[in-house]
Amino acid sequence: MSESFERRFGALDRLYGAGSTAGFSAAHVMIAGIGGVGSWCAEAVARHGVGKITLIDLDHIAESNINRQLPALGSTIGKAKAVAMAERIADINPQAQVEIVDDFVSAENIVSLLQMQPDVFIDCTDQISAKLAMVVEAKRHKVPLIVCGAAGGKRDVLALRSTDLSQTSHDALLARLRNQLRKQYGFPKPKPEKGSRVPKMGVTCLWVEESAVMPELWRQGEATEAPQGLSCAGYGSAVTLTASMGLAAAQLAINRILSSAQKA
């Protein structure tokens, strides 16, 4: 590692222990969804000196992204989100290898993505089909996965939680994911006996223990169209929440890399 790398990231060794930066430099983190959550996650991963970062997103920066997405600026409107984030990462750590996948995660491409062998895969998407594909195939290929729940409509940063998927609440997106995994893919279900413990599903999630705040028109029953799914496009959103979830996801990934290094 160069002297410049040591100057930029040496503080991490003093925090996590000698040799930590070398472990981060050798790691590969894959992030799906470079939006309000994923862009901040990618930033934190880059500032830990992770050596290889794969960014997956097909979307482009829009003016409506500026309130919460890291690379969204007046000067970057129209640019591919993954490209804008890759340029920023290169400025943070010129030694990092950044791979851009100009696509959305789907059942059709998930296996090829996992063949890139990430040490940690972070799901920052808001599409149920993408989340299903990632959970099922990551489990099959034994790739550590961190799943982020809904950030739209949430505002209490201090209600952010990290648990197994079986223990999440106040999150319609994760509830749908949990139900479909149990019905379609045989993930463990709660036992019918009263008082029995809910079995864990082996899926690490970040979620907010707070009911989603509906837009005013919906609270008044005046809206003519449904909110756009569970994304931030339908609900209100704020950077304090989306960034916090992204940073928390990055920390879970860093913890996983450190744990793997200690076992090696």
Side-chain angles (χ1 to χ4, degrees), residues 95-116:
Q95 296 185 37
Q97 177 186 352
V98 182
E99 298 285 343
I100 295 173
V101 178
D102 192 25
D103 204 351
F104 294 126
V105 174
S106 67
E108 289 69 36
N109 65 16
I110 183 61
V111 173
S112 63
L113 291 172
L114 291 174
Q115 287 174 347
M116 298 172 70

Side-chain angles (χ1 to χ4, degrees), residues 139-188:
K139 185 177 182 66
R140 185 174 298 165
H141 289 80
K142 298 181 179 180
V143 174
L145 177 69
I146 298 162
V147 176
C148 292
K154 304 299 180 85
R155 55 191 181 188
D156 186 358
V157 173
L158 299 182
L160 184 62
R161 306 284 183 260
S162 174
T163 68
D164 184 79
L165 177 59
S166 62
Q167 299 169 320
T168 64
S169 66
H170 298 78
D171 193 306
L173 181 60
L174 293 182
R176 287 178 61 195
L177 176 64
R178 179 171 57 244
N179 291 339
Q180 291 193 35
L181 287 171
R182 286 171 172 168
K183 290 179 179 179
Q184 299 178 28
Y185 297 97
F187 277 66

Side-chain angles (χ1 to χ4, degrees), residues 187-238:
F187 277 66
K189 301 177 182 179
K191 296 180 180 179
E193 294 83 6
K194 186 177 181 180
S196 61
R197 298 182 66 179
V198 178
K200 290 187 176 182
M201 301 174 72
V203 182
T204 299
C205 292
L206 282 164
W207 54 284
V208 181
E209 194 175 8
E210 173 192 26
S211 298
V213 177
M214 294 294 289
E216 185 66 27
L217 288 177
W218 277 93
R219 292 200 297 271
Q220 296 176 358
E222 298 176 6
T224 57
E225 295 181 359
Q228 297 179 36
L230 294 167
S231 69
C232 291
Y235 292 96
S237 58

